[in-house]
Structures are given as structure tokens and as C-alpha cells.
Amino acid sequence: MKIVSACLVGVNCRFNGENKLSAELVEAFKRGGLVPLCPEQLGGLPTPRPSSRIVDGNAYDVLDGRARVSNERDEDVTEEFVRGAREVLSIAEVLNVEAAILESRSPSCGCGRVYD
Ligand code: SF4
């Protein structure tokens, strides 16, 4: 079982109400074994929503309370982002997930590289 960023299989969950559909991942989803999740929606944020970015640190700093997530209206959405991350972790543990296929450059899903 693998998690996939929901927007990559066509769910319109991006901040702008659109998706980032990957035909290859849609085919993999049809074969089974992929669980689409959107941490920002699971954290309680609406769609569409203002875009957000991590301020003053990285994701580890956010989880440790040393950095925050702010949207383009300068509203603090750290709580929603952390809640969404924890929800995804809970689901991953329940399903015994082995891997995740994540959209790059997202403040929630991006791994390794979040922004340009
Ligand atoms: S949080 Fe992840 S799944 Fe949701 S829209 Fe952003 S990149 Fe896609």
C-alpha cells in the first residue's frame, strides 16, 4: 500500500481548486494499492484557499514549534498544516503504508525540495 498526493490522481484539492493529474499515476491508481490523501484538506483547510508557505524554517521546525506556516493573507495556518500531517501519519500507520508518492514544491507534500 502506498499513499499518493490526491491532486496527482485528479482530485481538485489544490489551493486554486485544480489538480496536478499524472496520467501514469491514474493508471497505477486504477490497478490498486494507492491511497489518495490531501493533508491540507485533512487539516481542515477549504478548497480553494490562499496559498501558503513555511516561514522561518523547514517542516521539522514547524513540527518542533520553531517555525510557522503562513498564507498569502498573512494568516497563521500552522495548526491546520500540523493537523493534516498528523492525520496522514495516522492513516499511514493504520494501513501499514510502505511508501508515499508526493507532489513536489508543496508546503504539505513536498519532500526534499519545497519551493524553487
Ligand atoms: S496538500 Fe498535497 S495533495 Fe493536497 S493539493 Fe497540496 S500537494 Fe496536492
PDB file of all heavy atoms in Angstrom, residues 4-8 11-15 18 20 37-41 49 81 102-110, ligand 1:
ATOM      1  N   VAL A   4      -0.567   8.466  -2.087  1.00  0.00           N
ATOM      2  CA  VAL A   4      -0.248   9.372  -3.196  1.00  0.00           C
ATOM      3  C   VAL A   4      -0.927  10.718  -2.915  1.00  0.00           C
ATOM      4  O   VAL A   4      -2.042  10.752  -2.378  1.00  0.00           O
ATOM      5  CB  VAL A   4      -0.704   8.782  -4.554  1.00  0.00           C
ATOM      6  CG1 VAL A   4      -2.206   8.573  -4.601  1.00  0.00           C
ATOM      7  CG2 VAL A   4      -0.248   9.671  -5.712  1.00  0.00           C
ATOM      8  N   SER A   5      -0.246  11.801  -3.222  1.00  0.00           N
ATOM      9  CA  SER A   5      -0.885  13.121  -3.119  1.00  0.00           C
ATOM     10  C   SER A   5      -2.141  13.108  -3.986  1.00  0.00           C
ATOM     11  O   SER A   5      -2.083  12.807  -5.192  1.00  0.00           O
ATOM     12  CB  SER A   5       0.059  14.213  -3.618  1.00  0.00           C
ATOM     13  OG  SER A   5       1.193  14.314  -2.799  1.00  0.00           O
ATOM     14  N   ALA A   6      -3.288  13.443  -3.381  1.00  0.00           N
ATOM     15  CA  ALA A   6      -4.563  13.297  -4.080  1.00  0.00           C
ATOM     16  C   ALA A   6      -4.621  14.096  -5.379  1.00  0.00           C
ATOM     17  O   ALA A   6      -5.226  13.656  -6.368  1.00  0.00           O
ATOM     18  CB  ALA A   6      -5.698  13.710  -3.149  1.00  0.00           C
ATOM     19  N   CYS A   7      -3.973  15.259  -5.386  1.00  0.00           N
ATOM     20  CA  CYS A   7      -4.027  16.085  -6.599  1.00  0.00           C
ATOM     21  C   CYS A   7      -3.354  15.405  -7.790  1.00  0.00           C
ATOM     22  O   CYS A   7      -3.674  15.703  -8.941  1.00  0.00           O
ATOM     23  CB  CYS A   7      -3.406  17.461  -6.348  1.00  0.00           C
ATOM     24  SG  CYS A   7      -1.705  17.407  -5.770  1.00  0.00           S
ATOM     25  N   LEU A   8      -2.454  14.464  -7.524  1.00  0.00           N
ATOM     26  CA  LEU A   8      -1.745  13.791  -8.616  1.00  0.00           C
ATOM     27  C   LEU A   8      -2.608  12.756  -9.338  1.00  0.00           C
ATOM     28  O   LEU A   8      -2.277  12.333 -10.445  1.00  0.00           O
ATOM     29  CB  LEU A   8      -0.474  13.121  -8.089  1.00  0.00           C
ATOM     30  CG  LEU A   8       0.614  14.068  -7.585  1.00  0.00           C
ATOM     31  CD1 LEU A   8       1.771  13.278  -6.972  1.00  0.00           C
ATOM     32  CD2 LEU A   8       1.130  14.938  -8.725  1.00  0.00           C
ATOM     33  N   VAL A  11      -7.742  14.666  -8.125  1.00  0.00           N
ATOM     34  CA  VAL A  11      -8.639  15.325  -7.162  1.00  0.00           C
ATOM     35  C   VAL A  11      -8.362  16.830  -7.192  1.00  0.00           C
ATOM     36  O   VAL A  11      -7.205  17.258  -7.130  1.00  0.00           O
ATOM     37  CB  VAL A  11      -8.415  14.765  -5.735  1.00  0.00           C
ATOM     38  CG1 VAL A  11      -9.318  15.486  -4.733  1.00  0.00           C
ATOM     39  CG2 VAL A  11      -8.658  13.265  -5.707  1.00  0.00           C
ATOM     40  N   ASN A  12      -9.418  17.618  -7.291  1.00  0.00           N
ATOM     41  CA  ASN A  12      -9.269  19.085  -7.371  1.00  0.00           C
ATOM     42  C   ASN A  12      -9.112  19.670  -5.974  1.00  0.00           C
ATOM     43  O   ASN A  12      -9.964  20.402  -5.481  1.00  0.00           O
ATOM     44  CB  ASN A  12     -10.470  19.699  -8.081  1.00  0.00           C
ATOM     45  CG  ASN A  12     -10.521  19.315  -9.532  1.00  0.00           C
ATOM     46  OD1 ASN A  12      -9.499  19.158 -10.193  1.00  0.00           O
ATOM     47  ND2 ASN A  12     -11.733  19.124 -10.037  1.00  0.00           N
ATOM     48  N   CYS A  13      -7.990  19.355  -5.349  1.00  0.00           N
ATOM     49  CA  CYS A  13      -7.775  19.751  -3.954  1.00  0.00           C
ATOM     50  C   CYS A  13      -6.663  20.783  -3.806  1.00  0.00           C
ATOM     51  O   CYS A  13      -6.330  21.182  -2.691  1.00  0.00           O
ATOM     52  CB  CYS A  13      -7.466  18.525  -3.103  1.00  0.00           C
ATOM     53  SG  CYS A  13      -6.086  17.509  -3.694  1.00  0.00           S
ATOM     54  N   ARG A  14      -6.100  21.252  -4.904  1.00  0.00           N
ATOM     55  CA  ARG A  14      -5.037  22.255  -4.797  1.00  0.00           C
ATOM     56  C   ARG A  14      -5.588  23.588  -4.299  1.00  0.00           C
ATOM     57  O   ARG A  14      -6.799  23.840  -4.383  1.00  0.00           O
ATOM     58  CB  ARG A  14      -4.348  22.465  -6.152  1.00  0.00           C
ATOM     59  CG  ARG A  14      -3.597  21.244  -6.637  1.00  0.00           C
ATOM     60  CD  ARG A  14      -2.745  21.572  -7.824  1.00  0.00           C
ATOM     61  NE  ARG A  14      -1.587  22.351  -7.448  1.00  0.00           N
ATOM     62  CZ  ARG A  14      -1.067  23.330  -8.181  1.00  0.00           C
ATOM     63  NH1 ARG A  14      -1.614  23.661  -9.333  1.00  0.00           N
ATOM     64  NH2 ARG A  14      -0.012  23.967  -7.766  1.00  0.00           N
ATOM     65  N   PHE A  15      -4.712  24.445  -3.851  1.00  0.00           N
ATOM     66  CA  PHE A  15      -5.140  25.737  -3.296  1.00  0.00           C
ATOM     67  C   PHE A  15      -6.029  26.496  -4.284  1.00  0.00           C
ATOM     68  O   PHE A  15      -6.940  27.230  -3.888  1.00  0.00           O
ATOM     69  CB  PHE A  15      -3.921  26.578  -2.896  1.00  0.00           C
ATOM     70  CG  PHE A  15      -3.136  27.112  -4.053  1.00  0.00           C
ATOM     71  CD1 PHE A  15      -3.382  28.389  -4.533  1.00  0.00           C
ATOM     72  CD2 PHE A  15      -2.186  26.349  -4.687  1.00  0.00           C
ATOM     73  CE1 PHE A  15      -2.670  28.906  -5.602  1.00  0.00           C
ATOM     74  CE2 PHE A  15      -1.478  26.840  -5.772  1.00  0.00           C
ATOM     75  CZ  PHE A  15      -1.722  28.110  -6.239  1.00  0.00           C
ATOM     76  N   GLU A  18      -7.679  23.300  -8.416  1.00  0.00           N
ATOM     77  CA  GLU A  18      -7.336  22.454  -9.565  1.00  0.00           C
ATOM     78  C   GLU A  18      -6.561  21.228  -9.097  1.00  0.00           C
ATOM     79  O   GLU A  18      -6.421  20.989  -7.898  1.00  0.00           O
ATOM     80  CB  GLU A  18      -6.520  23.281 -10.569  1.00  0.00           C
ATOM     81  CG  GLU A  18      -7.336  24.458 -11.114  1.00  0.00           C
ATOM     82  CD  GLU A  18      -6.559  25.298 -12.118  1.00  0.00           C
ATOM     83  OE1 GLU A  18      -5.368  25.015 -12.371  1.00  0.00           O
ATOM     84  OE2 GLU A  18      -7.159  26.256 -12.622  1.00  0.00           O
ATOM     85  N   LYS A  20      -3.191  18.240 -10.252  1.00  0.00           N
ATOM     86  CA  LYS A  20      -1.906  18.106 -10.947  1.00  0.00           C
ATOM     87  C   LYS A  20      -1.849  16.701 -11.548  1.00  0.00           C
ATOM     88  O   LYS A  20      -0.896  15.954 -11.338  1.00  0.00           O
ATOM     89  CB  LYS A  20      -0.748  18.291  -9.971  1.00  0.00           C
ATOM     90  CG  LYS A  20      -0.587  19.697  -9.463  1.00  0.00           C
ATOM     91  CD  LYS A  20       0.231  20.540 -10.401  1.00  0.00           C
ATOM     92  CE  LYS A  20       1.694  20.216 -10.206  1.00  0.00           C
ATOM     93  NZ  LYS A  20       2.559  21.162 -10.921  1.00  0.00           N
ATOM     94  N   LEU A  37      -4.525  11.024  -0.666  1.00  0.00           N
ATOM     95  CA  LEU A  37      -4.772  11.848   0.509  1.00  0.00           C
ATOM     96  C   LEU A  37      -4.309  13.271   0.242  1.00  0.00           C
ATOM     97  O   LEU A  37      -3.298  13.476  -0.438  1.00  0.00           O
ATOM     98  CB  LEU A  37      -3.995  11.315   1.721  1.00  0.00           C
ATOM     99  CG  LEU A  37      -4.347   9.921   2.234  1.00  0.00           C
ATOM    100  CD1 LEU A  37      -3.384   9.526   3.351  1.00  0.00           C
ATOM    101  CD2 LEU A  37      -5.782   9.872   2.735  1.00  0.00           C
ATOM    102  N   CYS A  38      -5.035  14.233   0.797  1.00  0.00           N
ATOM    103  CA  CYS A  38      -4.605  15.634   0.730  1.00  0.00           C
ATOM    104  C   CYS A  38      -4.462  16.148   2.163  1.00  0.00           C
ATOM    105  O   CYS A  38      -5.470  16.379   2.845  1.00  0.00           O
ATOM    106  CB  CYS A  38      -5.613  16.492  -0.037  1.00  0.00           C
ATOM    107  SG  CYS A  38      -5.183  18.259   0.013  1.00  0.00           S
ATOM    108  N   PRO A  39      -3.251  16.324   2.642  1.00  0.00           N
ATOM    109  CA  PRO A  39      -3.079  16.768   4.025  1.00  0.00           C
ATOM    110  C   PRO A  39      -3.670  18.132   4.317  1.00  0.00           C
ATOM    111  O   PRO A  39      -4.136  18.386   5.441  1.00  0.00           O
ATOM    112  CB  PRO A  39      -1.559  16.766   4.225  1.00  0.00           C
ATOM    113  CG  PRO A  39      -0.957  16.655   2.873  1.00  0.00           C
ATOM    114  CD  PRO A  39      -1.986  16.022   1.983  1.00  0.00           C
ATOM    115  N   GLU A  40      -3.705  19.016   3.339  1.00  0.00           N
ATOM    116  CA  GLU A  40      -4.251  20.349   3.611  1.00  0.00           C
ATOM    117  C   GLU A  40      -5.759  20.272   3.829  1.00  0.00           C
ATOM    118  O   GLU A  40      -6.302  20.914   4.726  1.00  0.00           O
ATOM    119  CB  GLU A  40      -3.869  21.321   2.485  1.00  0.00           C
ATOM    120  CG  GLU A  40      -2.372  21.590   2.499  1.00  0.00           C
ATOM    121  CD  GLU A  40      -1.878  22.572   1.453  1.00  0.00           C
ATOM    122  OE1 GLU A  40      -2.647  23.402   0.955  1.00  0.00           O
ATOM    123  OE2 GLU A  40      -0.671  22.485   1.124  1.00  0.00           O
ATOM    124  N   GLN A  41      -6.444  19.455   3.032  1.00  0.00           N
ATOM    125  CA  GLN A  41      -7.877  19.279   3.264  1.00  0.00           C
ATOM    126  C   GLN A  41      -8.117  18.506   4.564  1.00  0.00           C
ATOM    127  O   GLN A  41      -9.017  18.844   5.327  1.00  0.00           O
ATOM    128  CB  GLN A  41      -8.521  18.546   2.092  1.00  0.00           C
ATOM    129  CG  GLN A  41      -8.632  19.391   0.837  1.00  0.00           C
ATOM    130  CD  GLN A  41      -9.447  18.723  -0.252  1.00  0.00           C
ATOM    131  OE1 GLN A  41      -9.539  17.493  -0.321  1.00  0.00           O
ATOM    132  NE2 GLN A  41     -10.032  19.524  -1.122  1.00  0.00           N
ATOM    133  N   ARG A  49      -8.222  27.865  -1.518  1.00  0.00           N
ATOM    134  CA  ARG A  49      -7.699  28.525  -0.319  1.00  0.00           C
ATOM    135  C   ARG A  49      -6.492  29.360  -0.721  1.00  0.00           C
ATOM    136  O   ARG A  49      -5.865  29.088  -1.760  1.00  0.00           O
ATOM    137  CB  ARG A  49      -7.284  27.478   0.733  1.00  0.00           C
ATOM    138  CG  ARG A  49      -6.269  26.465   0.197  1.00  0.00           C
ATOM    139  CD  ARG A  49      -6.024  25.312   1.149  1.00  0.00           C
ATOM    140  NE  ARG A  49      -5.243  24.252   0.508  1.00  0.00           N
ATOM    141  CZ  ARG A  49      -5.738  23.288  -0.259  1.00  0.00           C
ATOM    142  NH1 ARG A  49      -7.023  23.240  -0.487  1.00  0.00           N
ATOM    143  NH2 ARG A  49      -4.962  22.372  -0.811  1.00  0.00           N
ATOM    144  N   PHE A  81      -1.988  22.854   9.141  1.00  0.00           N
ATOM    145  CA  PHE A  81      -0.959  22.065   8.453  1.00  0.00           C
ATOM    146  C   PHE A  81      -0.449  20.918   9.326  1.00  0.00           C
ATOM    147  O   PHE A  81      -0.268  19.798   8.848  1.00  0.00           O
ATOM    148  CB  PHE A  81       0.199  22.967   7.996  1.00  0.00           C
ATOM    149  CG  PHE A  81      -0.017  23.556   6.643  1.00  0.00           C
ATOM    150  CD1 PHE A  81      -1.002  24.514   6.417  1.00  0.00           C
ATOM    151  CD2 PHE A  81       0.740  23.140   5.563  1.00  0.00           C
ATOM    152  CE1 PHE A  81      -1.229  25.044   5.159  1.00  0.00           C
ATOM    153  CE2 PHE A  81       0.530  23.661   4.290  1.00  0.00           C
ATOM    154  CZ  PHE A  81      -0.457  24.613   4.092  1.00  0.00           C
ATOM    155  N   LEU A 102       4.654  11.819  -3.575  1.00  0.00           N
ATOM    156  CA  LEU A 102       4.197  13.134  -3.142  1.00  0.00           C
ATOM    157  C   LEU A 102       4.511  14.210  -4.166  1.00  0.00           C
ATOM    158  O   LEU A 102       5.583  14.202  -4.784  1.00  0.00           O
ATOM    159  CB  LEU A 102       4.861  13.493  -1.807  1.00  0.00           C
ATOM    160  CG  LEU A 102       4.575  12.512  -0.665  1.00  0.00           C
ATOM    161  CD1 LEU A 102       5.438  12.841   0.546  1.00  0.00           C
ATOM    162  CD2 LEU A 102       3.108  12.506  -0.306  1.00  0.00           C
ATOM    163  N   GLU A 103       3.579  15.143  -4.283  1.00  0.00           N
ATOM    164  CA  GLU A 103       3.765  16.296  -5.154  1.00  0.00           C
ATOM    165  C   GLU A 103       4.909  17.164  -4.628  1.00  0.00           C
ATOM    166  O   GLU A 103       4.949  17.474  -3.438  1.00  0.00           O
ATOM    167  CB  GLU A 103       2.456  17.089  -5.230  1.00  0.00           C
ATOM    168  CG  GLU A 103       2.547  18.473  -5.812  1.00  0.00           C
ATOM    169  CD  GLU A 103       2.978  18.493  -7.268  1.00  0.00           C
ATOM    170  OE1 GLU A 103       3.214  17.445  -7.858  1.00  0.00           O
ATOM    171  OE2 GLU A 103       3.095  19.607  -7.810  1.00  0.00           O
ATOM    172  N   SER A 104       5.796  17.560  -5.517  1.00  0.00           N
ATOM    173  CA  SER A 104       6.927  18.384  -5.087  1.00  0.00           C
ATOM    174  C   SER A 104       6.497  19.835  -4.905  1.00  0.00           C
ATOM    175  O   SER A 104       5.438  20.256  -5.387  1.00  0.00           O
ATOM    176  CB  SER A 104       8.047  18.308  -6.123  1.00  0.00           C
ATOM    177  OG  SER A 104       7.586  18.826  -7.351  1.00  0.00           O
ATOM    178  N   ARG A 105       7.288  20.565  -4.217  1.00  0.00           N
ATOM    179  CA  ARG A 105       7.135  22.012  -4.036  1.00  0.00           C
ATOM    180  C   ARG A 105       5.850  22.417  -3.316  1.00  0.00           C
ATOM    181  O   ARG A 105       5.385  23.532  -3.459  1.00  0.00           O
ATOM    182  CB  ARG A 105       7.266  22.750  -5.379  1.00  0.00           C
ATOM    183  CG  ARG A 105       8.647  22.578  -5.977  1.00  0.00           C
ATOM    184  CD  ARG A 105       8.837  23.408  -7.196  1.00  0.00           C
ATOM    185  NE  ARG A 105       7.913  23.048  -8.240  1.00  0.00           N
ATOM    186  CZ  ARG A 105       7.435  23.901  -9.134  1.00  0.00           C
ATOM    187  NH1 ARG A 105       7.804  25.155  -9.114  1.00  0.00           N
ATOM    188  NH2 ARG A 105       6.612  23.498 -10.067  1.00  0.00           N
ATOM    189  N   SER A 106       5.254  21.477  -2.589  1.00  0.00           N
ATOM    190  CA  SER A 106       4.088  21.813  -1.771  1.00  0.00           C
ATOM    191  C   SER A 106       4.547  21.990  -0.333  1.00  0.00           C
ATOM    192  O   SER A 106       5.369  21.212   0.147  1.00  0.00           O
ATOM    193  CB  SER A 106       3.068  20.670  -1.847  1.00  0.00           C
ATOM    194  OG  SER A 106       2.221  20.694  -0.720  1.00  0.00           O
ATOM    195  N   PRO A 107       3.985  22.977   0.393  1.00  0.00           N
ATOM    196  CA  PRO A 107       4.370  23.122   1.795  1.00  0.00           C
ATOM    197  C   PRO A 107       3.896  21.954   2.651  1.00  0.00           C
ATOM    198  O   PRO A 107       4.388  21.765   3.755  1.00  0.00           O
ATOM    199  CB  PRO A 107       3.699  24.433   2.216  1.00  0.00           C
ATOM    200  CG  PRO A 107       2.609  24.643   1.224  1.00  0.00           C
ATOM    201  CD  PRO A 107       3.064  24.009  -0.050  1.00  0.00           C
ATOM    202  N   SER A 108       2.949  21.164   2.134  1.00  0.00           N
ATOM    203  CA  SER A 108       2.492  19.981   2.864  1.00  0.00           C
ATOM    204  C   SER A 108       3.151  18.715   2.352  1.00  0.00           C
ATOM    205  O   SER A 108       3.709  17.939   3.112  1.00  0.00           O
ATOM    206  CB  SER A 108       0.983  19.798   2.710  1.00  0.00           C
ATOM    207  OG  SER A 108       0.299  20.885   3.211  1.00  0.00           O
ATOM    208  N   CYS A 109       3.050  18.485   1.063  1.00  0.00           N
ATOM    209  CA  CYS A 109       3.502  17.220   0.477  1.00  0.00           C
ATOM    210  C   CYS A 109       4.961  17.253   0.037  1.00  0.00           C
ATOM    211  O   CYS A 109       5.593  16.210  -0.020  1.00  0.00           O
ATOM    212  CB  CYS A 109       2.641  16.860  -0.732  1.00  0.00           C
ATOM    213  SG  CYS A 109       0.980  16.349  -0.293  1.00  0.00           S
ATOM    214  N   GLY A 110       5.474  18.418  -0.313  1.00  0.00           N
ATOM    215  CA  GLY A 110       6.815  18.486  -0.885  1.00  0.00           C
ATOM    216  C   GLY A 110       7.853  17.888   0.038  1.00  0.00           C
ATOM    217  O   GLY A 110       7.881  18.187   1.223  1.00  0.00           O
TER     218      GLY A 110
HETATM  219  S1  SF4 B   1      -1.558  19.293   0.022  1.00  0.00           S
HETATM  220 FE1  SF4 B   1      -0.617  17.720  -1.232  1.00  0.00          FE
HETATM  221  S2  SF4 B   1      -2.362  16.549  -2.034  1.00  0.00           S
HETATM  222 FE2  SF4 B   1      -3.167  18.467  -1.255  1.00  0.00          FE
HETATM  223  S3  SF4 B   1      -3.193  19.799  -3.043  1.00  0.00           S
HETATM  224 FE3  SF4 B   1      -1.252  20.174  -1.993  1.00  0.00          FE
HETATM  225  S4  SF4 B   1       0.212  18.814  -2.992  1.00  0.00           S
HETATM  226 FE4  SF4 B   1      -1.827  18.096  -3.548  1.00  0.00          FE
END
